[in-house]
Amino acid sequence: MGGRGGLLRAALGLAVSALALALVVRTVDLAAAADVLRTARIEWIALLVAFVVADVSLRALRWRVLLGPVGHVPYRTALGALLVGYLANNVLPA
């Protein structure tokens, strides 16, 4: 897939993403969010980050194992593809 159709789809995805981001930012009290982050306990944030890193690491390992019968996939390649997929899902919801 490429050409005009792919470009149009990407532009539409970016437009939907921009609209969704604008709607979210408009409905969020940014000062209150900043206040909550200022008063958050660093231990809980560190624990959350550790769990997220473990989750993403295990998912990449799972993909590596699942793709094993097709061919050898290095862990870093599986991790990179997983992170790019997450990025695409967040940036281009359409």
Side-chain angles (χ1 to χ4, degrees):
M1 170 182 234
R4 282 179 90 99
L7 186 59
L8 182 61
R9 186 181 300 215
L12 181 61
L14 286 172
V16 169
S17 296
L19 177 64
L21 184 61
L23 290 173
V24 168
V25 169
R26 191 179 73 168
T27 60
V28 171
D29 183 357
L30 295 177
D35 189 41
V36 167
L37 289 175
R38 262 193 305 278
T39 60
R41 292 184 50 189
I42 193 71
E43 307 89 40
W44 288 109
I45 294 174
L47 185 62
L48 170 70
V49 169
F51 275 115
V52 169
V53 168
D55 175 58
V56 171
S57 298
L58 289 172
R59 287 175 188 252
L61 184 61
R62 180 184 65 188
W63 272 110
R64 184 172 181 249
V65 170
L66 288 171
L67 293 171
V70 176
H72 174 72
V73 178
Y75 176 78
R76 287 184 63 159
T77 302
L79 178 63
L82 179 70
L83 293 175
V84 167
Y86 284 159
L87 174 71
N89 277 338
N90 288 320
V91 173
L92 301 171

